[in-house]
Amino acid sequence: MLKVACTMKPLKFVDAHIHLSDEEYTEKVEEIILDAKNSNVVALVSNSMNLETSIKSLELAERYNRMVYAALGIHPWNVNTLTEEELQQTTELIMKQRWNKAIVAIGEVGLDCKYEKIWEKQLKVFDEMLRLAEKLSLPIIVHSRGTTPQIVDMLPSYNLKKILLHWFSNPISILPKVIERGYYISEGPPAAYSNGIREVVKKVPLTNLLTETDGPVRYFKSPFNGKMTTPAFISTVVGAIAEIKRISVEEAADRIARNFEEFFGVKINSRGGDA
Ligand SMILES: [Zn+2]
């Protein structure tokens, strides 16, 4: 009997930036994980906003071992209500759990231009998070709405090895510097419809790209049409990247999965977790 070797590998997709610890997902985590498995999303990084979601992200990463990973930290949107005690407790939690394999990054941290009134406090908290990443040699996941140039200027004063600018949108003119320094960029559903984001994808080498949903977010434009994010969106994002880069979906998915492994220092389990 003639044996035909099958060389087709199953596609492996990754979500480097999701807020699995968000309240909106509380009742839906099982559903999201199942949806991820059914859509070949084999690894997700649960980003945190404050102490409470950091604890939750850690629990989720332990429950869905090697499928969900945790990024812990204080988001600039939470700086306003942040107490000194909470900041200290979050820092202590991260330090104590440093050798927990479930933790792969400090995130989501950064600066947001919409919260100008608390700029000084944002700077203080971001500095604290960056120093923590430096001390613990952890990658950082950065939120930089309207603040990318300031953040890019600040980062060299810290000894940070791995930096991910999540949902990078502008200014395009800063991209050569960002690429030269080896930063990573993650893009999500807008890669399928936004000319600005497609331009970013075009300019960033595939070796520096990661995919994300940033869920829970509702994307209104086609092909998402107001639907709430699910891991299934990742295949559309990878499809858009492949189209922009003029490569096959297999090649794009494979390289992005390898980027995920290199950036977060983990080995992807292609079956998607322990289960
Ligand atoms: Zn986010």
Side-chain angles (χ1 to χ4, degrees):
M1 201 183 14
L2 187 69
K3 275 190 183 168
V4 181
C6 181
T7 51
M8 271 281 283
K9 283 190 295 175
L11 290 172
K12 285 184 283 182
F13 297 127
V14 292
D15 189 342
H17 191 100
I18 178 169
H19 294 271
L20 215 50
S21 51
D22 191 278
E23 264 193 334
E24 180 103 30
Y25 280 150
T26 309
E27 305 294 322
K28 297 185 192 140
V29 173
E30 289 286 337
E31 198 184 305
I32 294 286
I33 296 296
L34 193 65
D35 190 23
K37 287 186 177 173
N38 291 337
S39 11
N40 294 331
V41 175
V42 293
L44 307 99
V45 178
S46 177
N47 281 247
S48 310
M49 303 291 285
N50 53 13
L51 176 62
E52 192 192 332
T53 50
S54 290
I55 294 170
K56 222 156 138 192
S57 286
L58 196 54
E59 279 170 10
L60 289 169
E62 284 173 344
R63 190 181 327 154
Y64 302 101
N65 185 27
R66 295 195 61 207
M67 169 89 180
V68 174
Y69 296 93
L72 312 186
I74 308 279
H75 192 287
W77 296 352
N78 283 76
V79 162
N80 200 19
T81 54
L82 183 76
T83 60
E84 194 55 50
E85 196 189 2
E86 188 188 345
L87 177 60
Q88 201 188 329
Q89 284 174 355
T90 311
T91 307
E92 279 168 13
L93 170 75
I94 300 170
M95 301 242 294
K96 242 200 284 173
Q97 297 287 336
R98 169 62 188 105
W99 301 112
N100 184 336
K101 285 205 165 73
I103 298 181
V104 293
I106 301 280
E108 176 176 357
V109 298
L111 299 170
D112 193 310
C113 69
K114 270 216 167 166
Y115 300 85
E116 242 180 314
K117 279 195 190 137
I118 49 159
W119 187 251
E120 287 306 313
K121 199 171 171 195
Q122 281 198 62
L123 278 174
K124 179 190 175 298
V125 174
F126 188 39
D127 170 68
E128 184 115 356
M129 293 291 124
L130 294 174
R131 281 195 286 123
L132 196 56
E134 185 180 63
K135 194 171 353 169
L136 304 178
S137 292
L138 277 168
I140 59 156
I141 301 173
V142 182
H143 169 103
S144 62
R145 182 170 55 176
T147 55
T148 310
Q150 285 104 310
I151 289 180
V152 168
D153 274 351
M154 277 171 75
L155 292 175
S157 40
Y158 301 85
N159 184 18
L160 300 160
K161 287 175 193 80
K162 288 173 181 168
I163 293 154
L164 171 62
L165 300 177
H166 119 82
W167 201 334
F168 180 100
S169 56
N170 58 67
I172 292 266
S173 58
I174 212 167
L175 271 180
K177 195 190 257 183
V178 163
I179 296 162
E180 193 197 295
R181 292 202 198 148
Y183 298 172
Y184 283 60
I185 278 173
S186 56
E187 296 296 354
Y193 60 79
S194 152
N195 288 336
I197 295 297
R198 291 174 72 84
E199 193 58 29
V200 174
V201 170
K202 204 173 177 177
K203 292 211 151 68
V204 177
L206 189 61
T207 48
N208 296 54
L209 269 178
L210 282 167
T211 45
E212 64 170 44
T213 57
D214 201 18
V217 180
R218 220 172 266 284
Y219 291 98
F220 290 94
K221 301 245 171 89
S222 173
F224 307 104
N225 306 318
K227 272 192 264 162
M228 192 60 108
T229 38
T230 79
F233 284 14
I234 295 284
S235 68
T236 309
V237 177
V238 176
I241 292 173
E243 183 209 322
I244 297 163
K245 298 285 191 196
R246 297 173 189 267
I247 55 174
S248 68
V249 172
E250 287 75 14
E251 193 183 343
D254 192 54
R255 184 63 240 191
I256 293 166
R258 260 193 291 154
N259 294 347
F260 185 99
E261 290 182 324
E262 283 166 17
F263 186 83
F264 294 111
V266 297
K267 186 92 192 91
I268 285 176
N269 180 354
S270 51
R271 285 176 298 124
D274 280 347

